[in-house]
Amino acid sequence: MAYVLGIDIGSGFSKAVICEDKTILSHAIMPSGGNFKETAGKVTEIVLEKAGLSPGDISYATATGYGAAVVDFADRSITDISCHAAGVCHMFPSVRTLIDIGAQFSKAIRLNDKGKVANFILNEKCAGGSGKFIQVIARILHMKIEDIGKFSIQSDNPVEFTTGCAVFAESEAVSRIAEGALPGDILAGVHKAMASKIVNLVVRLGLTGDCAITGGGAKDHGLVRAIKTELNTDVLVPEEPRITAAFGAALSAAENIYQ
């Protein structure tokens, strides 16, 4: 019996997963904050406590993500692209196209028949296709991030944004509020603009097989619906879409043990 740890230090949130024989025992998620090294230690403490384990029980640890380099207790680090692919393939073996929507970047990843990365595309250095866009609009509307999806879904008249840039969209959203636009219509318009950018990545990559959405953006039901509409196909979303890279890192750790 071996326990392995996968830890994903993202720019917005850090995630940790403990597995036994490729089965998730526990997971933990917390804001990354300004000290990635400290956060890595804290999120690991939490996930160990949830699993009823101590650090000495972990046979192998793999780190990934934006701040993987600071996880000095990990046995190795690997790219988050490959970790997302491994995690999603284990959850949904039929998936060949993966969309990951993170705090700073969105990615479209194509998987081969073995669940390995065949190709991928990242969005440009613009927050218009990432979770940052949603955070900006939520701040303007004085709304909690978790409430955005339900308001967007209720909209029948999405606001048309003339820009896909988060910076200019902030000013445009303020103008729409002054004109009397409803918050739900503004949010639906934001989701439509984001979906257009994200789906453009998929089009460039080529939509193949079943499609899954992961990352914090996958918890936004309004955005998921907008992407489904743009793609004109159904999508798969994990029960907890933020931990797929950490899960993939744990699976990689397990492979190193059983080689």
Side-chain angles (χ1 to χ4, degrees):
M1 180 168 55
Y3 301 107
V4 293
L5 169 68
I7 182 166
D8 172 22
I9 307 298
S11 59
F13 285 84
S14 292
K15 293 77 66 174
V17 168
I18 289 178
C19 287
E20 177 187 6
D21 294 330
K22 299 186 178 182
T23 299
I24 296 177
L25 291 184
S26 65
H27 73 267
I29 303 170
M30 66 180 293
S32 293
N35 189 329
F36 287 171
K37 186 173 183 178
E38 181 179 317
T39 300
K42 286 182 178 179
V43 77
T44 300
E45 286 179 13
I46 295 170
V47 79
L48 283 168
E49 184 177 353
K50 284 185 174 182
L53 301 173
S54 65
D57 293 321
I58 300 300
S59 299
Y60 202 96
T62 300
T64 191
Y66 190 78
V70 307
V71 187
D72 53 9
F73 55 84
D75 294 287
R76 69 186 292 237
S77 61
I78 55 179
T79 69
D80 62 331
I81 300 290
S82 59
C83 286
H84 279 300
V88 167
C89 182
H90 194 86
M91 294 174 176
F92 304 120
S94 64
V95 166
R96 296 293 176 268
T97 302
L98 171 60
I99 299 169
D100 179 68
I101 307 169
Q104 297 292 338
F105 295 97
S106 290
K107 318 172 189 74
I109 306 169
R110 181 189 293 162
L111 283 61
N112 63 22
D113 292 344
K114 296 181 179 180
K116 303 296 183 181
V117 177
N119 197 4
F120 69 92
I121 300 175
L122 277 67
N123 67 324
E124 70 274 18
K125 293 181 179 180
C126 170
S130 71
K132 187 66 176 179
F133 197 174
I134 297 175
Q135 294 173 18
V136 168
I137 300 301
R139 177 173 52 79
I140 293 171
L141 296 175
H142 304 289
M143 186 176 292
K144 294 180 180 179
I145 294 289
E146 55 267 29
D147 293 334
I148 283 178
K150 64 182 181 183
F151 278 99
S152 172
I153 288 175
Q154 293 170 4
S155 171
D156 293 321
N157 187 30
V159 167
E160 291 288 340
F161 280 85
T162 60
T163 178
C165 171
V167 176
F168 292 117
E170 181 174 1
S171 299
E172 193 168 352
V174 171
S175 297
R176 294 292 184 268
I177 292 171
E179 293 168 2
L182 296 174
D185 293 340
I186 292 173
L187 292 170
V190 167
H191 286 149
K192 184 177 180 181
M194 287 183 66
S196 178
K197 275 183 166 290
I198 292 168
V199 169
N200 182 54
L201 297 177
V202 177
V203 171
R204 288 165 57 192
L205 192 67
L207 179 61
T208 305
D210 286 345
C211 179
I213 303 178
T214 62
K219 293 185 71 68
D220 185 331
H221 302 304
L223 179 56
V224 171
R225 184 182 71 165
I227 292 172
K228 288 170 60 176
T229 299
E230 285 282 332
L231 284 175
N232 193 30
T233 187
D234 202 4
V235 297
L236 297 168
V237 179
E239 183 177 350
E240 177 43 84
R242 295 175 293 179
I243 65 170
T244 53
F247 180 39
L251 292 173
S252 173
E255 288 178 0
N256 277 275
I257 291 176
Y258 296 121
Q259 279 182 345

